[in-house]
Each structure stands twice: as C-alpha cells, then as structure tokens.
Amino acid sequence: MANKTYFKATEFTNVKDLLLDAVNRFADKTVFVIKNHNEKDEDKKYTNVTYKKMLEDIHAFGTALFNAGYKGKRIAIIGKNRYEWSLTHFTNLFGGIVSVPLDKDLQFSEFEQSVKRAKVDAIVFDPKCTALIEELKKNNQTNAKEFICMDKIDGYKNVNDFISEGNKLLKKGKKEFINFKVDPDVMNILLFTSGTSAQSKAVILSQRNIASNVYAMQLVEPLFEGLVTIAFLPFHHVFGSTCMVVMVACGITTAFPDGIRYIAQNLREYKVSIFVGVPILVEAIYKNIKKEIKKQDKEKMVNTARKISNVLLKCKIDLRRKLFASIHKPLGGELRYIIAGGAALDKEVTKYFNSIGVRVIQGYGLTETAPVIAAEDYKLVKPGSVGRALPGVEVDIVDKDENGIGEVIAKGPNIMLGYYEDPERTAEAIKDGWFHTGDLGYFDKDGTIFLTGRKKDMIVLKNGKKIFPEEIEVILNRLDIVEESFVFGMPKDDGDLKLTAKIVYNKDVVEKEYSGKSEEELREIVWEMIKEINKSFPTYKYIKDLILTDEELIKTTTKKIKRPEEMKKILAEG
C-alpha cells in the first residue's frame, strides 16, 4: 500500500536541476552556517553561506576541475561533515563527475583498497586525513594523482585555490561546466556499504535515484523553509548525504556539529528545529533528558503532566510545548522534529518525545535504495513501525512464515543501478526489478511496516523457534545501567543455541549508583534485572547467559553493531 501525500513539491529527474531550483527560490537565504572556531569576535564567529554564494562556489570549483581534466573522472571525498564536503559533492553532481564518499575512520588498508576499487582519480580531503593521504601517495598503488585539501596546508592545493582559479576562468568565458547536461540514469555516486573493504559492497547510484527519493520525502514529511538542522549524520553515508540534499531543496539551514559530546550544546547554539540521526544519537538525547529530570526530582511531576497533555490532545488542545518548556529549553527551545533511521528506535523513546511536543518520525532504508523505502509521515504515528512505503515506491513481503513475517522487498526509481563490477551480487539482490533487502518484517492491516530484524541475524533454535535479537536488545537498552547490548546464540555441544546477552555497562551509572561493587557483584545485579525482563518473554526467548563488560561493541561509523565481527571476538575469547 503506497503512502498518502500531504504537501506539494516539484519533481526533478536529477540533483543538479533540483538544486538550481532551490537556489532560484532561496537565493539570499542561508543554506549553511560555518563556525569560525578561532574567532573570538561574536560578530565574526559564524559565516552564513547563502544559496547564491553556494552556487557561485560550485560553478567556480567545477570550472577549475574541468580545466584540470576531471570531466568524466572520479573524485573521492574524505573528512568530517563541513561546507567543503558538501561543496565538493554538489560540484561532482553538477558536472557528472563520479562522487566517491569515503569514511574518514577507515584504517589505511581499507582506505587504499576503496580508492583502488573505485578507480579514483583525485581526492578532496580534510586536513585530519593528511596521514592517510601521505601514506597513499607513498605506496603509489592507486590511480589517484591529485590531492586537494579542504583547508590551506603546506604541500597541497586547496579548495579555495581551485575556486579562485575557477572564477578567473569564468571571467574569461569558460562555461563548459555550467552548461554541462546531466544524464540522470548513469553512475554518479559510488558508495561503499558498512564493513571491511573485502566484504563491503560498492553501490552504484544515479542522480535519478537521489532526486526521486528527495521528491518523495517532500510529499510526506514536514520539511519547511526556515527550519534549522544540524549535520550529525556522516555525509559519507547515503542517509547523511541524501538528507543534506533534502534540506537544501526545502530551504532549511544546515549547521555543522562540534562532535557527539556537544549534541545538547549545539542544539542550543544553533536553535535546531529538526534533528536527523541514528537511534543511538536520539536515545542519547532522551537519556540526558531523563537523567536531568531525575536529578531535579521531577519525575512524578513530568509523568503527571504527560498524562494531562494526552487527555488535552484528545480534545484537540495542544499545550505540550508550554507544559514542557523546561525540558525544551536545554535543547535550544526550538526542537520540533526528530527523524530517525538506520536502525530500530525504541518505541518508548518515540512515545516520550511525542508526548512532550517533539514529533519523532521513524524511517527505513538502505544504501541500495538511496536510501529511504518507507517512513512515518506528517499524519501517521505508529511507534515501533517504520511507516508506509514512500510515494512512488512499492513494498512487498515475501516468503512469509505462519505469523506473516517475511523478507521486505522494494521496487521504485530509488533502487540502485547495481553493485559496482559485481554482476552476481547484483543479480542476487535485484530480481524482476525488486530489490531484496535482507530485512524481515510484516504489514499491519493499514499497510504499515514493522521490522523484526535482519534475515542473516535471526536466531533459529533447534526446535524451529525464531528469535530476532534486535527486539530483545531494545528492551535491554532501556535499563539505565546498560550502555549497549548484543544478543546472540552461543553454540552448545548438542547443536542447539543458548540465547546470550553481551552487555556493556554505563560507567557513569555504575560509578554513581553501584560504586565499590566488584565485577561479580555487578554481574549479579544485571542478571537479576535480566531475570525480570525474561518474565515478559515466552520461555524460548529467555536469556540464558550474560557477558558483562565495559568495552564498547564493534560498530560502524553509523553506530550499527558489526554482528559477525562481534561474534568472532566472543568466540575467540572463549
């Protein structure tokens, strides 16, 4: 069942025309806010980049790149989220240059392998990635010959050098880049999925893939001119880069964060009104709110206010932002929307934010789907679900079991062109136009999608019972003492699996509430909590064993657990 539409938007076949339209509508409005970290003068502490200025920079940078011979070539981008990252990506798309976003946290071997596999010709990099670039040059095993720094550093050309050169060329009448006609259906973005380079898949995306997804989101989500967002999602991930395009298309200003530790500070600093993040970030904000309320001994008062608010809402009286002004103030006072994706968000977190006047929208997608397949929308609120299929996207469930749970498949203009130089994997993933996600889920009677877990992560017991570890992890993670958890089946001698939880405890909570306790005492405390949780499950879902640690789980940069690697580590440690 396709989603309804609530808003109007103009449909484009490519990102270039989409962005040109945005510049035309919002020319003098701020598209990006850049913090000048070394500037103490408050009047000069921030630089506001207008849509018009962004387009001028794109045209100049692209003209210089074309002049340097990069028309039809491949340019990688590596570094933290910043204006120069966005500028390079947009410039690549405007000129049909293949954009290859790379994870700044890659180990050198993975970085080199990715550059080699993608046949990258040039790299635009953040100064903090200089060591990677130096080693790459020294090894000389790739096709990359040009290295352009995002800032001015010795020994390298920088983005501003190219912009200056491009402006001179434009004055001389060089218009090849500006006049370049985009083909919306060829490879324009090459993205590596999470994992080690040997295992990661290189996903080919076209401009039509991205533009169609942006258009669909505009039809169903409350994305309004004048809102402010902050780019916490890494741009090298398709969720981050597509959201960047969405924000620009809708006249929303994007600020750049100082790091995860500064989430609350940055929300206040920029008066953020729409926050997009993976569940671990959303849940971190939630836990901080709860901790502050508990510290002020206001839990009872807030819970009472939430009940009153829910009654008033049924009477169509919305006083949530007034009732919970003291909660909103530390978050900047303007936060109205949270969009979560990339993994399952605890429905209790969704309910809590919605009850205090912050609308949470849960979405679902993959790199291969550019990225959004389905989402809750302006009207649909079903905590625990991922909403309905976006307009223009078809979703089906195949190979269902007796409970209606099967694999989620999707078809639409957002589906990737394929895996780069890997026809076998492409044929396995896309059959008769349908992309097989590898995710398991089911529809309710309204066509709303509920996910239960990854097909490959499902635990199947000897008696045929199926367990989805993610649904148990969500419940474990609600415990204050739990920082994160990993549920898995430990192999037994009889060929069956013993359901086991590896729990990383929260050091701050332990220090404050369980100071002086030994590791064994802590384990007993957590085990008692697990036994209580077990009572809410059928017997076959009981957690039978516990591994307690303070060591962080192995995760991707978007904070997803690398399950195979974590499992290998556990088995190796015995």
Side-chain angles (χ1 to χ4, degrees):
M1 186 183 293
N3 211 331
K4 295 179 181 178
T5 61
Y6 305 103
F7 309 105
K8 290 182 179 178
T10 304
E11 186 172 10
F12 296 97
T13 60
N14 64 78
V15 177
K16 180 176 182 176
D17 287 345
L18 184 154
L19 294 180
L20 286 172
D21 176 73
V23 172
N24 185 51
R25 288 183 293 128
F26 309 119
D28 297 318
K29 297 191 180 299
T30 300
V31 61
F32 292 109
V33 177
I34 304 168
K35 184 190 285 188
N36 306 315
H37 287 274
N38 298 324
E39 184 59 64
K40 293 180 181 178
D41 185 341
E42 282 300 318
D43 292 335
K44 298 177 182 177
K45 196 171 180 181
Y46 303 95
T47 299
N48 294 328
V49 180
T50 65
Y51 278 78
K52 183 180 176 184
K53 169 63 174 164
M54 176 187 72
L55 182 61
E56 289 170 353
D57 286 349
I58 290 170
H59 283 165
F61 192 18
T63 298
L65 287 173
F66 266 31
N67 190 63
Y70 289 105
K71 180 180 179 181
K73 301 292 187 179
R74 302 177 184 189
I75 296 181
I77 319 169
I78 186 165
K80 67 180 181 181
N81 289 2
R82 52 183 291 178
Y83 173 61
E84 290 79 9
W85 202 111
S86 306
L87 174 64
T88 305
H89 189 57
F90 290 158
T91 301
N92 287 343
L93 298 183
F94 266 60
I97 297 166
V98 176
S99 201
V100 186
L102 296 175
D103 184 348
K104 65 180 175 57
D105 294 321
L106 289 174
Q107 297 297 313
F108 175 73
S109 60
E110 297 174 281
F111 169 64
E112 183 182 53
Q113 185 65 17
S114 298
V115 172
K116 190 184 290 186
R117 282 178 64 191
K119 299 182 176 71
V120 166
D121 299 289
I123 303 174
V124 176
F125 67 98
D126 185 279
K128 289 185 178 177
C129 299
T130 304
L132 286 174
I133 299 299
E134 291 285 348
E135 195 167 351
L136 191 81
K137 288 168 65 179
K138 183 181 174 183
N139 273 18
N140 196 30
Q141 296 297 308
T142 74
N143 192 47
K145 302 299 178 193
E146 183 100 58
F147 306 94
I148 306 164
C149 191
M150 294 181 187
D151 286 328
K152 187 175 182 180
I153 62 171
D154 292 339
Y156 292 93
K157 281 188 176 182
N158 61 68
V159 170
N160 279 332
D161 290 337
F162 273 78
I163 290 173
S164 296
E165 185 183 338
N167 279 322
K168 290 174 186 173
L169 292 166
L170 286 169
K171 284 179 183 176
K172 292 178 182 177
K174 291 269 188 180
K175 296 290 179 68
E176 186 184 10
F177 176 83
I178 290 177
N179 296 330
F180 181 82
K181 188 169 177 58
V182 166
D183 184 339
D185 297 309
V186 299
M187 175 171 71
N188 213 162
I189 302 173
L190 189 57
L191 274 164
F192 289 94
T193 59
S194 300
T196 63
S197 286
Q199 299 168 327
S200 63
K201 294 167 281 192
V203 174
I204 303 170
L205 296 178
S206 69
Q207 291 209 30
R208 189 186 298 274
N209 291 152
I210 304 296
S212 69
N213 213 231
V214 171
Y215 173 64
M217 283 188 266
Q218 287 178 285
L219 295 177
V220 296
E221 306 298 359
L223 302 165
F224 308 125
E225 175 189 350
L227 295 175
V228 177
T229 190
I230 188 158
F232 268 104
L233 284 172
F235 287 159
H236 75 264
H237 191 280
V238 70
F239 189 17
S241 59
T242 300
C243 278
M244 172 177 64
V245 178
V246 171
M247 300 306 168
V248 175
C250 295
I252 296 170
T253 300
T254 296
F256 298 100
D258 294 320
I260 290 176
R261 288 181 299 167
Y262 303 96
I263 290 180
Q265 178 184 313
N266 289 157
L267 290 176
R268 291 192 297 272
E269 182 179 5
Y270 296 106
K271 301 290 183 188
V272 171
S273 43
I274 180 167
F275 180 87
V276 185
V278 291
I280 198 167
L281 293 178
V282 179
E283 286 164 9
I285 298 172
Y286 165 77
K287 285 181 178 179
N288 282 337
I289 290 172
K290 296 275 282 184
K291 186 165 72 175
E292 194 58 35
I293 291 169
K294 188 176 182 180
K295 184 179 172 183
Q296 295 176 24
D297 198 24
K298 291 183 177 178
E299 289 174 296
K300 189 175 180 181
M301 185 182 78
V302 170
N303 288 335
T304 302
R306 287 175 65 202
K307 288 175 185 175
I308 292 169
S309 173
N310 287 336
V311 172
L312 291 172
L313 278 173
K314 289 176 182 176
C315 302
K316 298 189 177 178
I317 301 169
D318 189 354
L319 298 178
R320 288 175 295 176
R321 299 198 65 86
K322 288 184 179 179
L323 280 171
F324 304 104
S326 61
I327 296 176
H328 289 276
K329 190 175 179 181
L331 301 175
E334 297 295 330
L335 187 61
R336 294 178 182 277
Y337 305 105
I338 292 175
I339 298 176
L345 179 66
D346 186 348
K347 65 182 179 183
E348 294 304 316
V349 175
T350 299
K351 288 177 182 176
Y352 189 89
F353 275 115
N354 286 337
S355 74
I356 64 170
V358 179
R359 178 66 181 276
V360 176
I361 297 163
Q362 172 84 11
Y364 162 61
L366 301 93
T367 304
E368 291 91 337
T369 58
V372 186
I373 290 174
E376 292 180 293
D377 57 42
Y378 185 63
K379 297 286 186 183
L380 176 72
V381 182
K382 282 195 181 179
S385 83
V386 293
R388 291 181 291 229
L390 286 187
V393 179
E394 294 178 66
V395 173
D396 201 0
I397 309 285
V398 296
D399 302 326
K400 298 177 189 175
D401 65 11
E402 65 277 7
N403 298 311
I405 296 171
E407 184 177 8
V408 179
I409 62 173
K411 180 192 278 190
N414 59 320
I415 303 301
M416 67 170 181
L417 300 183
Y419 294 118
Y420 182 62
E421 295 186 336
D422 199 340
E424 286 185 14
R425 266 182 167 173
T426 301
E428 285 174 13
I430 303 175
K431 299 169 185 174
D432 297 323
W434 288 92
F435 174 68
H436 290 244
T437 67
D439 289 312
L440 298 171
Y442 62 91
F443 289 125
D444 71 3
K445 59 182 175 58
D446 300 317
T448 309
I449 304 162
F450 289 80
L451 299 180
T452 55
R454 290 288 290 170
K455 193 175 179 180
K456 63 183 179 182
D457 298 330
M458 182 173 64
I459 300 166
V460 182
L461 302 178
K462 207 171 180 181
N463 61 9
K465 295 289 187 182
K466 297 171 185 173
I467 300 167
F468 303 103
E470 292 96 332
E471 67 177 2
I472 299 175
E473 288 163 4
V474 163
I475 295 168
L476 289 172
N477 291 345
R478 289 176 190 168
L479 298 171
D480 288 343
I481 199 170
V482 176
E483 184 69 28
E484 54 183 345
S485 62
F486 171 60
V487 174
F488 62 96
M490 180 68 87
K492 291 164 60 178
D493 292 339
D494 64 0
D496 207 353
L497 298 168
K498 177 167 64 174
L499 197 62
T500 306
K502 181 175 181 179
I503 285 178
V504 180
Y505 62 78
N506 185 304
K507 293 178 186 176
D508 292 337
V509 171
V510 167
E511 187 178 329
K512 187 175 178 182
E513 298 184 23
Y514 306 101
S515 182
K517 299 288 185 186
S518 67
E519 287 286 328
E520 191 53 45
E521 287 173 317
L522 274 179
R523 188 184 185 283
E524 192 55 38
I525 288 166
V526 176
W527 184 243
E528 288 301 316
M529 295 176 181
I530 287 175
K531 285 199 287 189
E532 283 300 309
I533 287 172
N534 276 346
K535 291 176 184 177
S536 64
F537 294 143
T539 311
Y540 72 91
K541 285 187 181 179
Y542 278 14
I543 297 168
K544 302 284 179 62
D545 202 0
L546 166 66
I547 299 170
L548 191 65
T549 181
D550 65 351
E551 190 178 329
E552 186 179 355
L553 298 174
I554 304 168
K555 295 192 291 294
T556 68
T557 50
T558 52
K559 305 303 178 185
K560 289 182 184 176
I561 299 169
K562 290 187 174 182
R563 292 181 178 272
E565 290 185 35
E566 191 60 51
M567 194 69 212
K568 266 186 211 172
K569 181 181 176 183
I570 290 167
L571 293 173
E573 290 172 349

